[in-house]
Amino acid sequence: MGKEMITPPDRRKSVRNPSLDNALIRFGDLSLCCVVRDITEDGAALKADDPRSSLPDQFTLIVPPNKTFSCSVVWREDGWLGVAFTAE
């Protein structure tokens, strides 16, 4: 049988919009590719390309072509990140 995808628990306060957008996690002079799996007006669930990376608790999420969000990590699980969008 194929490997099943593990979906993180639903903790959203607002309606989710399923997504598979490629994005960048930016912190300092570094960028890491990720996929935005779900997004709401308050935050998102992200799957980092390199789950072994030690990501900071705050970073900028860049979703092409023109969306940028300041993020705070609220949970981490098996390479997944749950983030809340914060004011800059």
Coordinates of all heavy atoms in Angstrom, one line a residue:
M1 N 0.8 -1.2 0.0 CA 0.0 0.0 0.0 C 0.9 1.2 0.0 O 2.0 1.2 0.5 CB -0.9 0.0 1.2 CG -1.8 -1.1 1.4 SD -3.4 -0.6 0.7 CE -4.2 -2.1 0.6
G2 N 0.3 2.4 -0.5 CA 1.1 3.6 -0.6 C 1.2 4.3 0.8 O 0.4 4.0 1.7
K3 N 2.1 5.2 0.9 CA 2.2 5.9 2.1 C 1.1 7.0 2.3 O 0.9 7.7 1.4 CB 3.6 6.6 2.1 CG 4.1 7.1 3.4 CD 5.5 7.6 3.3 CE 6.1 7.9 4.6 NZ 7.5 8.3 4.5
E4 N 0.4 7.0 3.4 CA -0.7 7.9 3.6 C -0.1 9.2 4.1 O 0.8 9.3 4.9 CB -1.7 7.4 4.6 CG -2.4 6.2 4.1 CD -3.5 5.7 5.0 OE1 -4.1 6.5 5.8 OE2 -3.7 4.5 5.1
M5 N -0.8 10.3 3.7 CA -0.4 11.7 4.1 C -1.0 11.9 5.5 O -2.2 11.7 5.7 CB -0.9 12.7 3.1 CG -0.4 14.1 3.4 SD -0.8 15.2 2.1 CE -1.7 16.4 3.0
I6 N -0.2 12.4 6.4 CA -0.7 12.7 7.7 C -1.1 14.2 7.7 O -0.3 15.1 7.4 CB 0.3 12.5 8.8 CG1 0.7 11.0 8.8 CG2 -0.1 13.0 10.2 CD1 1.9 10.7 9.7
T7 N -2.4 14.5 8.1 CA -2.9 15.8 8.1 C -2.9 16.3 9.6 O -3.4 15.6 10.5 CB -4.3 15.9 7.6 OG1 -4.3 15.4 6.2 CG2 -4.8 17.3 7.5
P8 N -2.3 17.5 9.8 CA -2.3 18.0 11.2 C -3.7 18.3 11.7 O -4.6 18.5 10.9 CB -1.5 19.3 11.1 CG -1.5 19.6 9.7 CD -1.7 18.4 8.9
P9 N -3.9 18.3 13.0 CA -5.3 18.5 13.6 C -5.8 19.9 13.2 O -5.0 20.9 13.0 CB -5.1 18.4 15.1 CG -3.6 18.4 15.3 CD -2.9 18.1 14.0
D10 N -7.1 20.1 13.1 CA -7.7 21.3 12.7 C -7.9 22.2 13.9 O -8.7 21.9 14.8 CB -9.1 21.1 12.1 CG -9.7 22.3 11.5 OD1 -9.2 23.4 11.6 OD2 -10.8 22.1 10.8
R11 N -7.1 23.3 14.0 CA -7.2 24.2 15.1 C -7.6 25.7 14.7 O -7.4 26.6 15.4 CB -5.8 24.3 15.8 CG -5.4 22.9 16.4 CD -4.1 23.0 17.1 NE -3.7 21.7 17.6 CZ -2.5 21.2 17.5 NH1 -1.5 21.9 17.0 NH2 -2.3 20.0 18.0
R12 N -8.1 25.8 13.5 CA -8.3 27.1 12.9 C -9.6 27.8 13.5 O -10.5 27.1 13.9 CB -8.5 27.0 11.4 CG -7.3 26.6 10.6 CD -7.6 26.4 9.2 NE -8.2 25.1 9.0 CZ -7.5 24.0 8.8 NH1 -6.2 24.0 8.7 NH2 -8.2 22.8 8.7
K13 N -9.5 29.1 13.6 CA -10.7 29.9 14.1 C -11.5 30.4 13.0 O -12.6 30.8 13.2 CB -10.2 31.0 15.0 CG -9.5 30.6 16.2 CD -9.0 31.8 17.0 CE -8.2 31.3 18.3 NZ -7.6 32.4 19.0
S14 N -10.9 30.4 11.7 CA -11.7 30.9 10.6 C -11.7 29.9 9.5 O -10.9 28.9 9.6 CB -11.1 32.2 10.1 OG -9.7 32.1 9.8
V15 N -12.5 30.1 8.5 CA -12.6 29.1 7.4 C -11.3 29.0 6.6 O -10.6 29.9 6.3 CB -13.7 29.6 6.4 CG1 -13.8 28.7 5.2 CG2 -15.0 29.8 7.1
R16 N -10.9 27.7 6.4 CA -9.7 27.4 5.7 C -9.9 27.4 4.2 O -11.0 27.1 3.7 CB -9.1 26.1 6.1 CG -9.8 24.9 5.6 CD -9.1 23.7 5.9 NE -9.9 22.5 5.5 CZ -9.5 21.3 5.5 NH1 -8.3 21.0 5.8 NH2 -10.3 20.3 5.1
N17 N -8.9 27.8 3.5 CA -8.9 27.7 2.0 C -7.8 26.8 1.6 O -6.6 27.1 1.7 CB -8.6 29.1 1.4 CG -9.7 30.1 1.7 OD1 -10.9 29.8 1.5 ND2 -9.4 31.2 2.3
P18 N -8.1 25.5 1.2 CA -7.1 24.6 0.8 C -6.2 25.2 -0.3 O -6.7 25.9 -1.1 CB -7.9 23.4 0.3 CG -9.2 23.5 0.9 CD -9.5 25.0 1.1
S19 N -4.9 24.9 -0.2 CA -4.0 25.5 -1.1 C -2.8 24.5 -1.3 O -2.6 23.7 -0.5 CB -3.5 26.8 -0.5 OG -2.4 27.3 -1.2
L20 N -2.1 24.7 -2.4 CA -0.9 24.0 -2.7 C 0.1 24.9 -3.3 O 0.9 24.6 -4.1 CB -1.1 22.8 -3.6 CG -1.8 21.6 -3.0 CD1 -2.0 20.5 -4.0 CD2 -0.9 21.0 -1.8
D21 N 0.1 26.2 -2.8 CA 1.0 27.2 -3.3 C 2.4 27.0 -2.8 O 2.6 26.7 -1.6 CB 0.5 28.6 -2.8 CG -0.8 29.1 -3.5 OD1 -1.0 28.6 -4.6 OD2 -1.5 29.8 -2.8
N22 N 3.4 27.1 -3.7 CA 4.8 27.2 -3.3 C 5.1 28.5 -2.7 O 4.5 29.5 -3.2 CB 5.7 26.9 -4.5 CG 5.6 25.5 -5.0 OD1 5.5 24.6 -4.2 ND2 5.5 25.3 -6.3
A23 N 5.9 28.6 -1.7 CA 6.2 29.8 -1.0 C 7.6 29.8 -0.5 O 8.3 28.7 -0.6 CB 5.2 30.1 0.1
L24 N 8.0 30.9 0.1 CA 9.3 31.0 0.7 C 9.2 31.4 2.2 O 8.4 32.3 2.5 CB 10.2 32.0 0.0 CG 10.8 31.6 -1.4 CD1 11.5 32.8 -1.9 CD2 11.7 30.4 -1.3
I25 N 9.9 30.7 3.0 CA 10.1 31.2 4.4 C 11.4 31.9 4.5 O 12.4 31.4 4.1 CB 10.1 29.9 5.4 CG1 8.8 29.2 5.3 CG2 10.5 30.4 6.8 CD1 8.8 27.8 6.1
R26 N 11.3 33.2 4.9 CA 12.4 34.1 4.9 C 12.8 34.5 6.3 O 11.9 35.0 7.0 CB 12.2 35.3 4.0 CG 13.3 36.3 3.9 CD 14.0 36.1 2.6 NE 14.9 37.2 2.4 CZ 16.2 37.0 2.1 NH1 16.6 35.8 1.8 NH2 17.0 38.0 2.0
F27 N 14.0 34.3 6.7 CA 14.5 34.8 8.0 C 15.9 35.2 7.9 O 16.7 34.4 7.3 CB 14.2 33.8 9.1 CG 14.8 32.4 8.8 CD1 16.0 32.0 9.4 CD2 14.1 31.5 8.1 CE1 16.5 30.8 9.1 CE2 14.6 30.3 7.8 CZ 15.8 29.9 8.3
G28 N 16.3 36.4 8.3 CA 17.6 36.9 8.2 C 18.0 36.9 6.7 O 17.2 37.4 5.9
D29 N 19.1 36.3 6.3 CA 19.6 36.3 4.9 C 19.2 35.0 4.3 O 19.7 34.7 3.2 CB 21.1 36.5 4.8 CG 21.5 37.9 5.2 OD1 20.6 38.8 5.1 OD2 22.6 38.1 5.7
L30 N 18.4 34.1 5.0 CA 18.1 32.8 4.5 C 16.7 32.6 4.0 O 15.8 33.3 4.5 CB 18.4 31.7 5.6 CG 19.8 31.7 6.1 CD1 19.9 30.8 7.3 CD2 20.8 31.3 5.1
S31 N 16.5 31.8 3.0 CA 15.2 31.4 2.5 C 15.0 29.9 2.4 O 16.0 29.2 2.1 CB 14.9 32.1 1.1 OG 14.9 33.4 1.2
L32 N 13.9 29.4 2.7 CA 13.6 28.0 2.6 C 12.3 27.8 1.9 O 11.3 28.5 2.2 CB 13.5 27.4 4.0 CG 13.2 25.9 4.2 CD1 14.3 25.1 3.6 CD2 12.9 25.6 5.6
C33 N 12.3 26.9 0.9 CA 11.0 26.6 0.2 C 10.1 25.9 1.1 O 10.4 25.1 1.9 CB 11.3 25.8 -1.1 SG 12.3 26.7 -2.3
C34 N 8.8 26.1 0.8 CA 7.7 25.4 1.5 C 6.5 25.4 0.7 O 6.4 26.0 -0.4 CB 7.4 26.1 2.9 SG 6.6 27.7 2.7
V35 N 5.5 24.6 1.1 CA 4.2 24.5 0.4 C 3.2 25.0 1.5 O 3.2 24.6 2.6 CB 3.9 23.1 0.0 CG1 2.4 23.0 -0.6 CG2 4.9 22.6 -1.1
V36 N 2.3 25.9 1.0 CA 1.2 26.4 1.8 C 0.1 25.4 1.6 O -0.5 25.3 0.5 CB 0.8 27.8 1.5 CG1 -0.4 28.3 2.3 CG2 1.9 28.8 1.6
R37 N -0.2 24.6 2.6 CA -1.2 23.6 2.5 C -2.6 24.1 2.7 O -3.6 23.8 2.0 CB -0.9 22.4 3.5 CG -1.9 21.3 3.4 CD -1.8 20.5 2.1 NE -2.8 19.5 2.1 CZ -3.3 19.0 1.1 NH1 -3.1 19.5 -0.1 NH2 -4.2 18.1 1.2
D38 N -2.8 24.9 3.7 CA -4.1 25.5 4.1 C -3.8 26.9 4.5 O -2.8 27.2 5.1 CB -4.8 24.8 5.2 CG -5.3 23.4 4.9 OD1 -5.9 23.3 3.8 OD2 -5.1 22.5 5.7
I39 N -4.7 27.8 4.2 CA -4.5 29.2 4.6 C -5.9 29.8 5.0 O -6.9 29.5 4.4 CB -3.8 30.0 3.4 CG1 -3.4 31.4 3.9 CG2 -4.7 30.1 2.2 CD1 -2.4 32.1 3.0
T40 N -5.8 30.6 6.0 CA -7.0 31.4 6.5 C -6.6 32.8 6.6 O -5.5 33.2 6.3 CB -7.5 30.9 7.9 OG1 -6.5 31.3 8.9 CG2 -7.6 29.4 7.9
E41 N -7.6 33.7 7.0 CA -7.2 35.1 7.2 C -6.3 35.3 8.4 O -5.6 36.3 8.5 CB -8.4 36.0 7.3 CG -9.3 35.6 8.4 CD -10.7 36.4 8.4 OE1 -11.3 36.4 7.3 OE2 -11.0 36.9 9.5
D42 N -6.2 34.3 9.3 CA -5.4 34.4 10.5 C -4.1 33.7 10.5 O -3.2 34.0 11.3 CB -6.2 33.8 11.7 CG -7.6 34.5 11.9 OD1 -7.6 35.8 11.8 OD2 -8.6 33.8 12.1
G43 N -3.9 32.7 9.6 CA -2.7 31.9 9.5 C -2.7 30.9 8.5 O -3.5 30.9 7.6
A44 N -1.7 29.9 8.6 CA -1.6 28.9 7.6 C -0.9 27.7 8.1 O -0.3 27.7 9.2 CB -0.8 29.5 6.4
A45 N -1.1 26.6 7.4 CA -0.4 25.3 7.7 C 0.7 25.2 6.5 O 0.3 25.3 5.4 CB -1.3 24.1 7.7
L46 N 1.9 25.0 6.9 CA 3.0 24.9 5.9 C 3.7 23.6 6.1 O 3.9 23.1 7.2 CB 4.0 26.1 6.2 CG 3.5 27.5 6.4 CD1 4.6 28.4 6.8 CD2 2.8 28.0 5.1
K47 N 4.2 23.1 4.9 CA 5.1 21.9 4.9 C 6.4 22.4 4.4 O 6.6 22.8 3.2 CB 4.5 20.9 4.0 CG 5.3 19.6 3.9 CD 5.2 18.8 5.2 CE 5.8 17.4 5.0 NZ 5.9 16.7 6.2
A48 N 7.5 22.4 5.2 CA 8.8 22.8 4.8 C 9.5 21.8 4.0 O 9.3 20.6 4.2 CB 9.6 23.1 6.1
D49 N 10.2 22.2 3.0 CA 11.0 21.3 2.1 C 12.0 20.5 3.0 O 12.3 19.3 2.7 CB 11.7 22.0 1.0 CG 10.8 22.3 -0.2 OD1 9.6 21.8 -0.1 OD2 11.2 22.9 -1.1
D50 N 12.6 21.1 4.0 CA 13.6 20.5 4.8 C 13.2 20.5 6.2 O 13.5 21.5 7.0 CB 15.0 21.2 4.6 CG 16.1 20.5 5.3 OD1 15.9 19.5 6.0 OD2 17.2 21.0 5.2
P51 N 12.4 19.5 6.7 CA 11.9 19.6 8.0 C 12.9 19.5 9.1 O 12.7 19.8 10.3 CB 11.0 18.3 8.1 CG 11.5 17.4 7.1 CD 12.0 18.3 6.0
R52 N 14.2 19.1 8.8 CA 15.3 19.1 9.7 C 15.8 20.5 10.1 O 16.5 20.7 11.0 CB 16.4 18.2 9.2 CG 16.0 16.8 9.1 CD 17.0 16.0 8.3 NE 17.0 16.5 7.0 CZ 18.1 16.4 6.1 NH1 19.2 15.9 6.5 NH2 18.0 16.9 4.9
S53 N 15.4 21.5 9.2 CA 15.9 22.8 9.5 C 15.4 23.4 10.8 O 14.2 23.1 11.1 CB 15.5 23.8 8.3 OG 16.2 23.4 7.2
S54 N 16.2 24.1 11.4 CA 15.8 24.7 12.7 C 15.2 26.1 12.4 O 16.0 27.1 12.3 CB 17.0 24.8 13.6 OG 16.5 25.3 14.9
L55 N 13.9 26.2 12.1 CA 13.3 27.4 11.8 C 13.0 28.3 13.0 O 12.6 27.7 14.1 CB 12.0 27.2 11.0 CG 12.1 26.5 9.7 CD1 10.7 26.2 9.2 CD2 12.8 27.4 8.7
P56 N 13.2 29.6 12.9 CA 12.9 30.4 14.1 C 11.4 30.5 14.3 O 10.6 30.1 13.5 CB 13.4 31.8 13.6 CG 13.4 31.8 12.2 CD 13.6 30.3 11.8
D57 N 11.0 31.0 15.5 CA 9.6 31.1 15.8 C 8.9 32.3 15.1 O 7.7 32.3 15.0 CB 9.4 31.4 17.4 CG 9.8 30.1 18.1 OD1 9.7 29.0 17.6 OD2 10.2 30.2 19.3
Q58 N 9.7 33.2 14.6 CA 9.1 34.3 13.8 C 9.9 34.4 12.4 O 11.1 34.3 12.4 CB 9.2 35.7 14.4 CG 8.2 35.9 15.5 CD 8.7 35.3 16.9 OE1 9.9 35.3 17.2 NE2 7.7 34.8 17.7
F59 N 9.1 34.6 11.3 CA 9.7 34.7 10.0 C 8.7 35.4 9.1 O 7.5 35.6 9.4 CB 10.2 33.4 9.5 CG 9.1 32.3 9.4 CD1 8.2 32.3 8.4 CD2 9.0 31.3 10.4 CE1 7.2 31.3 8.3 CE2 8.0 30.3 10.3 CZ 7.1 30.3 9.3
T60 N 9.1 35.6 7.9 CA 8.3 36.2 6.8 C 8.0 35.1 5.8 O 8.8 34.4 5.4 CB 9.0 37.4 6.1 OG1 9.3 38.4 7.0 CG2 8.1 38.0 5.0
L61 N 6.7 35.0 5.5 CA 6.2 34.1 4.5 C 5.9 34.8 3.2 O 5.2 35.8 3.2 CB 5.0 33.3 4.9 CG 4.3 32.4 4.0 CD1 5.3 31.1 3.7 CD2 3.0 31.9 4.5
I62 N 6.6 34.4 2.1 CA 6.4 35.1 0.8 C 5.7 34.1 -0.1 O 6.2 33.1 -0.5 CB 7.7 35.5 0.2 CG1 8.4 36.5 1.2 CG2 7.5 36.2 -1.2 CD1 9.9 36.7 0.8
V63 N 4.4 34.5 -0.5 CA 3.6 33.7 -1.4 C 3.5 34.4 -2.8 O 2.9 35.5 -2.8 CB 2.2 33.4 -0.9 CG1 1.4 32.5 -1.8 CG2 2.3 32.8 0.5
P64 N 4.2 33.9 -3.8 CA 4.1 34.6 -5.1 C 2.7 34.7 -5.6 O 1.9 33.8 -5.3 CB 5.0 33.8 -6.0 CG 5.9 33.0 -5.1 CD 5.1 32.8 -3.8
P65 N 2.3 35.7 -6.4 CA 3.2 36.7 -6.9 C 3.4 37.9 -6.0 O 4.4 38.6 -6.1 CB 2.6 37.2 -8.2 CG 1.1 37.0 -7.9 CD 1.0 35.8 -7.0
N66 N 2.5 38.2 -5.0 CA 2.6 39.4 -4.3 C 2.1 39.4 -2.9 O 1.6 40.4 -2.4 CB 2.0 40.6 -5.1 CG 0.5 40.3 -5.4 OD1 0.0 39.3 -4.9 ND2 -0.1 41.2 -6.0
K67 N 2.1 38.3 -2.2 CA 1.6 38.2 -0.8 C 2.7 38.0 0.1 O 3.6 37.1 -0.1 CB 0.6 37.1 -0.7 CG -0.7 37.3 -1.5 CD -1.6 36.1 -1.2 CE -2.8 36.2 -2.1 NZ -3.7 35.0 -2.1
T68 N 2.8 38.8 1.2 CA 3.8 38.7 2.2 C 3.2 38.8 3.6 O 2.3 39.6 3.8 CB 4.9 39.8 2.0 OG1 5.4 39.8 0.7 CG2 6.0 39.7 3.1
F69 N 3.5 37.8 4.4 CA 3.0 37.8 5.8 C 4.1 37.7 6.8 O 5.0 36.9 6.7 CB 2.1 36.5 5.9 CG 1.0 36.4 4.9 CD1 1.1 35.7 3.8 CD2 -0.2 37.1 5.1 CE1 0.1 35.5 2.8 CE2 -1.3 36.9 4.2 CZ -1.1 36.2 3.0
S70 N 3.9 38.4 7.9 CA 4.8 38.2 9.1 C 4.1 37.1 9.9 O 2.9 37.1 10.1 CB 4.8 39.5 9.9 OG 5.5 40.5 9.2
C71 N 4.9 36.1 10.3 CA 4.3 34.9 10.9 C 5.0 34.6 12.2 O 6.2 34.8 12.4 CB 4.6 33.7 10.0 SG 3.8 33.8 8.4
S72 N 4.2 34.0 13.1 CA 4.7 33.4 14.4 C 4.2 32.0 14.4 O 3.1 31.6 14.2 CB 4.0 34.1 15.6 OG 4.6 35.4 15.7
V73 N 5.2 31.1 14.7 CA 4.9 29.6 14.7 C 4.0 29.3 16.0 O 4.4 29.8 17.1 CB 6.2 28.8 14.8 CG1 5.9 27.3 14.9 CG2 7.0 29.0 13.5
V74 N 2.9 28.6 15.8 CA 2.1 28.3 16.9 C 2.1 26.8 17.2 O 1.8 26.3 18.3 CB 0.6 28.7 16.8 CG1 0.5 30.2 16.8 CG2 0.0 28.2 15.5
W75 N 2.5 26.0 16.2 CA 2.7 24.5 16.4 C 3.7 24.0 15.4 O 3.8 24.5 14.3 CB 1.4 23.7 16.5 CG 0.5 23.8 15.3 CD1 -0.5 24.7 15.2 CD2 0.6 23.1 14.1 NE1 -1.1 24.5 13.9 CE2 -0.5 23.5 13.3 CE3 1.4 22.0 13.6 CZ2 -0.7 23.0 12.0 CZ3 1.2 21.5 12.4 CH2 0.1 22.0 11.6
R76 N 4.3 22.8 15.7 CA 5.2 22.1 14.8 C 5.0 20.6 15.0 O 4.8 20.2 16.1 CB 6.7 22.4 15.2 CG 7.1 23.8 15.1 CD 8.5 24.0 15.7 NE 8.9 25.4 15.9 CZ 9.7 26.0 15.1 NH1 10.3 25.4 14.2 NH2 10.0 27.3 15.3
E77 N 4.9 19.9 13.8 CA 4.7 18.5 13.9 C 5.1 17.8 12.6 O 4.5 18.1 11.5 CB 3.2 18.2 14.1 CG 2.8 16.8 14.4 CD 1.4 16.6 14.7 OE1 0.8 17.4 15.5 OE2 0.8 15.6 14.2
D78 N 6.1 17.0 12.7 CA 6.6 16.1 11.6 C 6.8 16.9 10.3 O 6.3 16.6 9.2 CB 5.6 15.0 11.3 CG 5.4 14.1 12.4 OD1 6.4 13.8 13.1 OD2 4.3 13.5 12.7
G79 N 7.5 18.0 10.4 CA 7.8 18.9 9.2 C 6.7 19.9 8.9 O 6.9 20.7 8.0
W80 N 5.6 19.8 9.5 CA 4.5 20.8 9.4 C 4.7 21.9 10.3 O 5.3 21.7 11.4 CB 3.2 20.2 9.7 CG 2.7 19.2 8.7 CD1 2.8 17.8 8.7 CD2 1.9 19.5 7.6 NE1 2.2 17.3 7.6 CE2 1.6 18.3 6.9 CE3 1.3 20.7 7.0 CZ2 0.8 18.2 5.7 CZ3 0.6 20.6 5.9 CH2 0.3 19.4 5.3
L81 N 4.3 23.1 9.9 CA 4.3 24.3 10.8 C 2.9 24.9 10.7 O 2.3 25.1 9.7 CB 5.3 25.3 10.3 CG 6.7 25.0 10.2 CD1 7.5 26.1 9.5 CD2 7.3 24.9 11.6
G82 N 2.4 25.3 11.9 CA 1.2 26.1 11.9 C 1.6 27.5 12.3 O 2.3 27.7 13.3
V83 N 1.2 28.5 11.5 CA 1.6 29.8 11.8 C 0.4 30.7 11.9 O -0.6 30.5 11.3 CB 2.6 30.4 10.7 CG1 3.9 29.6 10.7 CG2 1.9 30.4 9.3
A84 N 0.6 31.8 12.8 CA -0.4 32.8 12.9 C 0.2 34.0 12.2 O 1.4 34.3 12.4 CB -0.7 33.1 14.4
F85 N -0.6 34.7 11.4 CA -0.2 36.0 10.8 C -0.2 37.1 11.9 O -1.1 37.2 12.6 CB -1.1 36.4 9.6 CG -1.1 35.3 8.5 CD1 -2.2 35.1 7.8 CD2 0.1 34.6 8.2 CE1 -2.2 34.1 6.8 CE2 0.1 33.7 7.2 CZ -1.1 33.4 6.5
T86 N 0.9 37.9 11.9 CA 1.0 38.9 12.9 C 1.2 40.3 12.2 O 1.6 40.3 11.0 CB 2.2 38.7 13.8 OG1 3.4 38.6 13.0 CG2 2.1 37.4 14.6
A87 N 1.0 41.3 12.9 CA 1.2 42.7 12.4 C 2.7 42.9 12.4 O 3.4 42.5 13.3 CB 0.5 43.7 13.2
E88 N 3.2 43.6 11.4 CA 4.6 43.9 11.3 C 5.1 45.0 12.3 O 4.4 45.8 12.7 CB 5.0 44.3 9.9 CG 4.9 43.1 8.9 CD 5.4 43.4 7.6 OE1 6.5 44.1 7.4 OE2 4.7 43.1 6.6

